[in-house]
Amino acid sequence: MPETSYHMSPDEFRRWGKAVIDWIAGYLERIDSFPVLSSVEPGQLRAALPPAPPAEGEPFGRILADVDKLILPGITHWQSPNFFAFFPANASGPAILGELLAAGLGVQGMLWATSPAATELETHVLDWLVGMLALPEKFLSTREGGGVIQDTASSATLCALLAARERSTGFASNRRGTDGRLVAYGSSETHSALLKAVKIAGLGEENLRLVGVDERFAMRPDALASAIEQDRRAGKMPCFVCATVGTTSSQAIDPVAEIGRLCQQHGMWLHVDAAMCGTAALCPEFRWIHQGLELADSYCFNPHKWMFTNFDCDCFWVADRKALIRTLSVLPEYLRNPATESGKVFDYRDWQIPLGRRFRSLKLWFVIRHYGLEGLRHHIREHVRLAQEFATWVAQDDQFELAAPAPLNLVCFRHCAGDAFNQALLDRLNASGNLYLTQTRLDRRFTLRLCVGQTHTQARHVEQAWHHIRKEAAALQASAADRILRRSEGPGD
Ligand SMILES: Cc1ncc(COP(=O)(O)O)c(C=O)c1O
């Protein structure tokens, strides 16, 4: 009697695998045609789904048809060339195929021994990236440092803070807990991932200092120095600074060299978060953003933001891998193996919070090999050029103003008519489906952000965005003028 099996057969897999690839290719080909922002109501998808799962398996074709019918309307199209919101999470053909292969191999690479290729490819690609971004050589795995792929920049910040906590307490707080004396520093523009890390690492929210910024929204080293002095005088132990190369609000670049010198003076760990902007350093002309990085203890950037590598992929380097490993390593009997015991291999479970890990380096390797350094540089330069062009249009229009310097591919701007007008303008633009922008507050004023970083964004998309922005602003002004006119004429009879 044949054994009962509900599994997908290899032939079915081949057939539907090809259908899914065709589906993705078709989706990406027509992605311009979708309203960028999903307009479903809360609960709409759940109301359309059956209350209970199927007792019997369903044909795969029916499942795929439901993706079109049920899922697509609830998708905000991050891969649309008209997506200018937040920072991008861009993707590309080679990265998607790398993800697929990683899924096909189904590797869980927690230890070198659980798939040597997964570990060694990761180490190698991260060493390549040290050269590609001209990072300090101390981050190389062939020196005292090394790189590891984290899921996100938030995890990188947390790992860095934990290692800093341990280094500054002689690796004792892991055993005894912190005594409330350790202090971490960022700026008022640092990503909220730092606050989360401080909470998780047990420093306590009251031991996070968010120091002031200058007129370019970059951390003020003098403010940092006085915060450190004040804490020292109060008997605290300053242990960690997170500097940002490209803040989330406005892409401000903190003065890493001056911050680094303060860290050295006070024996503090310097982590540099370049989640979005690090990619720019592929191009020699943008490497100024990393000035002072030789003073950092750790550094991260997200290929999943701007380097055409599907989410999730954050590259994180430390200058002294021993500090990180000593902080995060635990070795139960069931994980013991000869390779680990030999001391000749990296076990990346010791470089991150979870035990298990995906084979993420495959997609990164595919991207780097597909584009080559010159291909990557070409597209990054083009994004920066388009953003700079947009900034010029804003600066030349007397209805609009730039709200911050635009060093790379993010433009912060606003209409001169004030906060309520800008909020209404943003709402109209996003409701139109033609593009997606998000907002921030700079100097307490409502500010629109336009980031050019989507894989397929071209000049025409940025031109159309500017056209829509001006058109909606004019329409909004006309309706406001109309309202005022009607009010001044008073109620008719
Ligand atoms: C500067 C910076 N740091 C950290 C993050 C958090 O990124 P992730 O989602 O990778 O944790 C962001 C997200 O936009 C960011 O801009």
Side-chain angles (χ1 to χ4, degrees), residues 35-252:
V36 188
L37 195 60
S38 168
S39 58
V40 294
E41 294 296 327
Q44 192 171 316
L45 174 63
R46 295 206 59 186
L49 291 171
E56 303 287 336
E58 298 180 61
F60 198 81
R62 200 194 298 163
I63 305 172
L64 206 50
D66 275 350
V67 172
D68 282 299
K69 194 171 125 209
L70 302 176
I71 303 300
L72 260 188
I75 292 294
T76 288
H77 299 279
W78 282 73
Q79 302 313 314
S80 166
N82 300 311
F83 184 102
F84 301 104
F86 306 107
F87 280 144
N90 70 17
S92 67
I96 295 167
L97 296 176
E99 278 282 39
L100 185 61
L101 250 157
L105 291 168
V107 156
Q108 205 277 55
M110 58 189 173
L111 304 169
W112 178 90
T114 61
S115 264
T119 296
E120 293 196 14
L121 185 66
E122 186 161 331
T123 309
H124 203 74
V125 168
L126 269 81
D127 277 355
W128 273 3
L129 277 163
V130 169
M132 289 168 69
L133 302 175
L135 302 179
E137 293 198 346
K138 65 180 179 180
F139 290 137
L140 286 169
S141 69
T142 47
R143 302 281 179 93
E144 306 292 299
V148 57
I149 301 180
Q150 304 278 343
D151 51 3
T152 59
S154 303
S155 294
T157 304
L158 176 58
C159 289
L161 179 60
L162 291 170
R165 186 190 77 185
E166 291 313 301
R167 191 180 74 177
S168 62
T169 57
F171 295 86
S173 63
N174 253 347
R175 275 176 273 125
R176 283 193 253 114
T178 60
D179 58 6
R181 288 176 64 218
L182 297 176
V183 185
Y185 303 80
S187 85
S188 52
E189 296 289 315
T190 302
H191 193 273
S192 55
L194 177 60
L195 171 59
K196 203 181 245 190
V198 161
K199 288 184 178 190
I200 298 170
L203 266 67
E205 224 176 304
E206 71 284 3
N207 286 324
L208 171 64
R209 309 276 175 265
L210 297 179
V211 304
V213 293
D214 61 18
E215 68 293 344
R216 305 171 76 85
F217 305 101
M219 189 191 288
R220 278 178 38 215
D222 62 321
L224 176 63
S226 48
I228 294 170
E229 290 303 340
Q230 206 175 331
D231 280 323
R232 280 201 177 286
R233 277 198 302 274
K236 296 273 188 182
M237 260 175 80
C239 79
F240 181 82
V241 179
C242 178
T244 310
V245 169
T247 58
T248 315
S249 265
S250 70
Q251 232 168 39

Side-chain angles (χ1 to χ4, degrees), residues 17-45:
K18 286 173 186 162
V20 168
I21 293 285
D22 277 344
W23 190 97
I24 298 171
Y27 168 70
L28 293 175
E29 260 169 0
R30 66 196 166 110
I31 198 161
D32 276 49
S33 66
F34 294 102
V36 188
L37 195 60
S38 168
S39 58
V40 294
E41 294 296 327
Q44 192 171 316
L45 174 63

